Amino acid sequence: MEVIETDVLVIGGGGAGAYAAYEASKVGQTVTLVLKGFLGKSGSTPLAPGAIAAVGPWQHPQDSQDLHFLDTLKGGAFLNEQKLVRIMVEEAPKRVLELEELGAFWERSPDGKQYLLRQGGGHSFPRSPYLEDRPGHELLKVLKGELLRRNVRILENQMVLRIFTEDGQVCGAISLGVYTGDFTLYRAKSIVLATGGASQLYPYFTQDVKNTGDGVCLGWEAGADLMDMEFLQFFIGLAWPKALRGIIVGTLYYSRLLNKTGEQFLKRYDPQRLESSTRDIVSQACFQEIQEGRGTDRGGVYLDLTQNPPGFVKEKLPMIHSLCQQLGVDLEKEPIEVAPTFHFVMGGIRVDENWQSRVPGLFAVGEVAAGVHGANRLSQNSLADIVVSGAIAGRSAAAHASGACFLGIDPAEIAALCRKVEKIAERAPTRPLRLAALKETLQTFMWDKVSFRRSEKGLTEALDEVRRLREEALPCLRLTTRSKRFNRELFEVLEMENLLTFAELVIRSAQMRKETRGAHFREDYPSPDNAQWLKHVVIRKADGGCQLTTAEVDLHEIQPQ
């Protein structure tokens, strides 16, 4: 087993992880970045088509960071941690300029003097720099170059299985090579979790297929508190063909959403903002139209960009335009069918202003961390969040490492984990792996009972299904090969364990929150209840199970009316 000693270990290589590694490397600490895919080609960041919300010198005359702060709180139904939001809105412009200094391109006016800006849903003014429909790709491109230049150690195609602690502090981790099947042990003073969301909980999603909730589960097992796990964001993506269902194919600030009669139906749900409404309202409106029979034959609605000038869509959304042309649709001449899809996790590991969990030395960033987005994330705040949280956590992790020493890792824990994986691989292949059926079962009941509309009955049934799959189905799976080398089935079993844990945490949190707020819609409690539920749901691992409590929301700047 290879042993790597590093001051800072970053787990996950999307925008948040890359920025954390970049920032930690500035102060002379040794930094290792380990990820499950290839750097620059995995995670949700390369798929981000929108923009990065930031109020800087380029701002609209009437815009301000205070207004960005307020927009974010309103969009999050005031369940945001206001200290974290304030940090994001103040730091995001600095990160935009830093990225440009590193070589990132943001679109400018013809004279080159000013950024072109987009206005995402829920924002009061255009405030977000962008590059066509690939700002996330551009961000990762320059960060990858910096990591290579700074000699950050990058280990690709590694799935981290466990974080080890000693005396309540992080001391290391262990990963399994996706191709080699070899274990790698990491001794680390600080660890940053940046593995993204959990797209595989649902059959339709916008994210990378490798997003299986790993970071939240790693933090949970290490003793971190989780918060607001009930808040999962749904958006819209392709309705057809089925193999591509869920992929984002449009940006709503250029679009109109129409039902099968040609009605711009958001006039009935948010007549002032229409398609510039927040994503919880847009996704619920689409769901409602389809449920009431006003959707298309393929179970979607129409996304129409034909009102834009000729050539506009091809210029502003070249990748999306090209994809739709391959599907036989010219977005400049005809609408395309879209349907609700899973998009983003607002909850995650509870962190402080340094993005550190309650476990000393363990940090969480981006979609692994909770607190910034509250009950619903605003469009274009994701890229702002990942660069800010990544930068601050990377800096803080390096500072923590500079004052810490390497701790020992219990050999018995390492041996037990290795043996567990080997036992899965050694299961006799008397019955072919049926993981696809198990995963389909999980995704189906999560979609039916834990997505747009929830109820006590549905959540209870979903929790029973999770327990059944974990206790009865998962142990009975048999791999078709015993080798750990190039054994994708083995990793799917390990990922399924994380997905089932993640699903249970979401369901338990959703059961506890007896109100409707943001992306959490309870049919049996259809209204917000500030008197009882303007608070966080917090989960802590205790006695082998879940301990659910509530915590006060940070309202030190603004109180909801």
Side-chain angles (χ1 to χ4, degrees), residues 168 222-225 349-352 356-362 540-541:
D225 285 348
I349 294 174
R350 191 182 188 188
V351 296
D352 62 16
Q356 183 172 216
S357 73
R358 79 182 189 99
V359 180
L362 181 61
R540 179 173 294 182
K541 191 176 179 66

Side-chain angles (χ1 to χ4, degrees), residues 285-441:
C286 292
F287 179 80
Q288 190 75 16
E289 293 296 300
I290 295 166
Q291 288 292 104
E292 295 181 359
R294 295 185 292 275
T296 67
D297 293 339
R298 294 189 177 110
V301 294
Y302 292 111
L303 183 139
D304 180 24
L305 294 110
T306 60
Q307 75 277 10
N308 295 294
F312 181 89
V313 176
K314 186 176 182 180
E315 177 188 351
K316 295 297 185 183
L317 308 172
M319 289 196 298
I320 292 172
H321 182 268
S322 176
L323 170 64
C324 290
Q325 278 200 318
Q326 294 176 43
L327 299 176
V329 178
D330 185 344
L331 289 175
E332 298 199 340
K333 297 180 179 178
E334 57 186 314
I336 195 166
E337 292 179 60
V338 296
T341 183
F342 173 61
H343 187 56
F344 192 86
V345 179
M346 273 77 71
I349 294 174
R350 191 182 188 188
V351 296
D352 62 16
E353 294 94 313
N354 294 316
W355 271 261
Q356 183 172 216
S357 73
R358 79 182 189 99
V359 180
L362 181 61
F363 300 80
V365 294
E367 214 170 340
V368 182
V372 171
H373 306 295
N376 177 64
R377 176 176 68 79
L378 290 193
S379 169
Q380 303 171 355
N381 267 358
S382 176
L383 292 184
D385 173 29
I386 65 174
V387 297
V388 171
S389 65
I392 291 176
R395 192 182 311 142
S396 302
H400 180 273
S402 68
C405 59
F406 289 105
L407 301 175
I409 302 175
D410 186 354
E413 283 193 66
I414 299 171
L417 182 65
C418 293
R419 186 57 190 152
K420 171 192 169 183
V421 174
E422 288 164 356
K423 281 185 176 181
I424 295 173
E426 291 169 359
R427 288 174 181 171
T430 56
R431 189 173 108 193
L433 178 77
R434 299 298 300 166
L435 185 60
L438 189 155
K439 190 173 185 180
E440 183 178 357
T441 300

